């Protein structure tokens, strides 16, 4: 990395470092090439291999590979039987898909507030939002930290609700020693390039429930089946015969994407270990800066962080978040904000949602910022990010 002139006591990077990026190596490229040269580039054996590997890794009984994390959430809602008149409780501090999946099914997203220290959905707030129309809870493992699974599981069981864990951020996380993926009624993953492992795009739904599994399979393949036991119409005429037995979608993933995900899954522990190393360095550095608030973690969660979020104590700084963000960019450290509360978006406002629904989430949102975190970061990259935060804080310290 080229080093530029020292300003304010620290060297300025010679090139931008972004908040996240994939790590693709030669074996990943070779795995994709092998599939591209094979007979099957979709609907082939690599997808099944990916599903079996996810089952082995997470301990879940069933895995269904799909085209992306949003498709995974939609299929989970379909399998849960969510429809018009139903309500689905979720968090506002998430990507829009966690709530949109309810809308796709004609249901109403209901936003529960977050814990202002962990930034995850608050189980007590979930309780307070349950009505006779509530059908499911979509709980998001924000930044990779597992939600309070035992408490949410108990709430769902007591109220006959489906527990969907949106684990787009948390594939390598453990909760009480068990891997995320086998703990909720359904768990969804995303394989977007900034996630822990990637397929370019891609997603998956994990479940231990046979009935839910069968519904998920139909949901992501047009509702079409070749399984005679599921057929209702004409007699099975031959190997070409199939039936559409429910309304489904084309949410299939390709074999070359699956090949990349399989290759990446074989390195997931290496990726997770490096993420944890970086998080430890950040935690140690920022715990010494009073103007920076570090996300708290519950003891049950052995977290593989997808995102590292700093929260600015703006009462101790003479700047607003935008000024801090721009100053970090000037240091060639490009940050991001995760996330604008979902119900603040114009589409949700037009549906009748108003600001003020979740005070904790709104307050946290105003001062959070995601800084770079990905396994290919060098130790120097990590030092540069820490130095940039220290420098900007020093500049704006009151």
């Amino acid at each position: 990395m080229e080093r530029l002139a020292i300003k304010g006591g620290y060297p300025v990077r010679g090139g931008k470092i972004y908040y996240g990026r994939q790590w693709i190596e030669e074996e990943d490229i070779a795995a994709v090439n092998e599939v591209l040269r094979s007979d099957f580039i979709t609907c082939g054996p690599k997808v099944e291999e990916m599903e079996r590997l996810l089952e082995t890794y997470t301990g879940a009984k069933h895995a269904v590979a799909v085209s992306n994390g949003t498709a995974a959430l939609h299929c989970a809602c379909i399998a849960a039987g969510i429809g018009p008149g139903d309500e689905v409780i979720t968090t506002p501090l998430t990507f829009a898909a966690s709530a949109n999946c309810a809308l796709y099914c004609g249901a109403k997203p209901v936003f529960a507030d977050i814990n202002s220290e962990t930034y995850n959905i608050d189980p007590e707030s979930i309780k307070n939002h349950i009505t006779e129309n509530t059908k499911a809870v979509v709980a998001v493992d924000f930044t990779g930290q597992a939600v309070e699974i035992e408490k949410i599981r108990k709430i769902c069981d007591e109220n006959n609700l489906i527990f969907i864990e949106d684990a787009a951020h948390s594939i390598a996380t453990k909760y009480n020693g068990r891997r995320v993926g086998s703990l909720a009624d359904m768990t969804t993953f995303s394989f977007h390039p900034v996630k822990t492992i990637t397929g370019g795009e891609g997603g998956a739904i994990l479940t231990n429930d046979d009935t839910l599994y069968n519904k998920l399979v139909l949901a992501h393949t047009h509702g079409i089946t070749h399984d005679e036991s599921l057929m209702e119409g004409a007699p099975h005429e031959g190997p070409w015969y199939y039936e559409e037995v429910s309304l489904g979608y084309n949410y299939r993933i390709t074999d070359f994407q699956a090949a990349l995900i399989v290759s990446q899954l074989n390195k997931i522990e290496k990726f997770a270990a490096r993420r944890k190393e970086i998080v430890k360095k950040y935690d140690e550095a920022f715990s010494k800066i009073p103007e920076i608030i570090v996300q708290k973690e519950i003891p049950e969660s052995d977290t593989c962080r997808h995102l590292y979020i700093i929260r600015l104590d703006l009462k101790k700084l003479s700047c607003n978040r935008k000024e801090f963000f721009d100053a970090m960019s000037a240091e060639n450290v490009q940050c991001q904000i995760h996330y604008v509360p979902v119900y603040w978006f114009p589409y949700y406002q037009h549906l009748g949602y108003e600001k003020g629904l979740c005070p904790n989430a709104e307050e946290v949102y105003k001062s959070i910022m995601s800084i770079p975190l990905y396994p290919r970061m060098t130790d120097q990259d990590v030092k540069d990010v820490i130095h940039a935060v220290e420098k900007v804080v020093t500049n704006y310290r009151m």
Side-chain angles (χ1 to χ4, degrees):
M1 169 61 64
E2 176 190 358
R3 316 301 293 172
L4 298 185
I6 291 179
K7 297 180 182 178
Y10 299 123
V12 178
R13 291 181 57 86
K16 285 279 188 187
I17 181 171
Y18 294 90
Y19 86 91
R21 65 179 297 187
Q22 71 275 11
W23 188 352
I24 303 296
E25 297 177 294
E26 287 303 317
E27 60 263 31
D28 301 310
I29 296 169
V32 173
N33 280 340
E34 182 179 357
V35 169
L36 290 175
R37 296 177 189 278
S38 73
D39 292 333
F40 294 95
I41 62 172
T42 193
C43 298
K46 213 64 181 178
V47 174
E48 185 175 350
E49 182 182 346
M50 170 189 163
E51 291 172 337
R52 300 296 83 78
L53 191 56
L54 283 169
E55 291 164 359
T56 301
Y57 182 73
T58 63
K61 186 176 181 181
H62 302 294
V64 178
V66 293
S67 52
N68 53 62
T70 301
L73 285 165
H74 188 193
C75 287
C77 286
I78 292 169
I82 293 166
D86 293 332
E87 295 178 351
V88 177
I89 297 174
T90 191
T91 171
L93 202 63
T94 184
F95 187 63
S98 308
N100 288 350
C101 59
L103 293 176
Y104 298 155
C105 295
K108 177 185 177 182
V110 174
F111 296 98
D113 211 345
I114 64 167
N115 179 304
S116 57
E117 293 187 328
T118 67
Y119 313 153
N120 267 336
I121 194 168
D122 182 352
E124 288 302 312
S125 187
I126 292 174
K127 283 185 186 178
N128 294 337
H129 286 83
I130 293 173
T131 72
E132 62 182 10
N133 296 320
T134 307
K135 190 71 172 282
V137 174
V138 176
V140 179
D141 296 332
F142 184 60
T143 74
Q145 178 178 191
V147 293
E148 295 179 75
I149 291 174
E150 288 180 347
K151 291 181 180 179
I152 297 173
R153 173 80 278 167
K154 186 171 186 289
I155 292 167
C156 289
D157 289 346
E158 289 175 348
N159 293 276
N160 196 29
L161 307 178
I162 296 288
F163 178 13
I164 300 170
E165 185 176 4
D166 181 345
H169 294 184
S170 61
I171 187 171
T173 292
K174 293 180 182 178
Y175 180 89
N176 279 339
R178 295 176 61 191
R179 291 194 190 281
V180 164
S182 63
L183 305 173
D185 292 317
M186 288 176 280
T187 303
T188 63
F189 289 145
S190 167
F191 303 115
H192 183 274
V194 296
K195 300 302 196 303
T196 302
I197 62 171
T198 186
E201 286 285 358
I205 315 103
L206 290 295
T207 185
N208 295 320
D209 187 291
D210 294 344
T211 300
L212 290 174
Y213 170 69
N214 289 331
K215 291 178 179 179
L216 290 166
V217 171
L218 289 171
H220 91 294
T221 55
H222 304 277
I224 286 173
T225 183
H226 292 267
D227 186 342
E228 290 185 61
S229 68
L230 299 177
M231 293 183 183
E232 303 174 15
H236 195 291
E237 300 176 284
W240 65 87
Y241 186 74
Y242 58 85
E243 287 184 355
E244 181 181 352
V245 297
S246 63
L247 182 63
Y249 298 82
N250 181 2
Y251 283 155
R252 295 188 300 254
I253 191 172
T254 65
D255 277 58
F256 48 88
Q257 288 173 294
L260 178 53
I261 292 166
V262 166
S263 180
Q264 294 259 299
L265 268 168
N266 288 326
K267 299 182 287 187
I268 192 170
E269 292 307 306
K270 178 179 79 169
F271 292 167
R274 180 56 179 161
R275 284 178 177 271
K276 289 181 178 182
E277 287 176 1
I278 296 168
V279 166
K280 184 178 180 182
K281 292 176 187 291
Y282 281 163
D283 283 346
E284 290 173 353
F286 301 141
S287 66
K288 302 170 186 175
I289 305 176
E291 295 84 358
I292 300 296
I293 301 166
V294 175
Q295 181 183 5
K296 294 286 179 66
E297 190 159 315
I298 60 173
E300 296 89 346
S301 183
D302 178 1
T303 302
C304 173
R305 289 277 181 88
H306 155 55
L307 299 171
Y308 191 95
I309 286 181
I310 59 172
R311 186 177 176 192
L312 309 177
D313 189 341
L314 294 172
K315 294 178 182 178
K316 298 177 181 178
L317 295 167
S318 62
C319 65
N320 58 34
R321 180 175 59 179
K322 176 63 163 56
E323 290 168 330
F324 197 103
F325 185 97
D326 290 344
M328 290 290 289
S329 185
E331 295 298 315
N332 276 333
V333 176
Q334 189 60 61
C335 301
Q336 185 56 279
I337 308 299
H338 298 93
Y339 296 93
V340 178
V342 174
Y343 59 78
W344 279 20
F345 294 133
Y347 183 81
Y348 278 81
Q349 298 280 296
H350 295 327
L351 291 176
Y353 294 85
E354 297 178 350
K355 291 185 177 182
L357 289 176
C358 298
N360 290 347
E362 294 184 23
E363 188 62 28
V364 166
Y365 161 70
K366 293 174 184 176
S367 57
I368 55 175
M369 186 177 303
S370 301
I371 62 175
L373 174 62
Y374 53 89
R376 206 166 188 173
M377 289 178 70
T378 66
D379 287 345
Q380 187 60 55
D381 291 335
V382 177
K383 289 178 182 178
D384 288 347
V385 174
I386 292 170
H387 289 165
V389 172
E390 291 173 339
K391 178 179 175 181
V392 176
V393 167
T394 300
N395 186 57
Y396 286 115
R397 181 172 280 141
M398 293 177 66

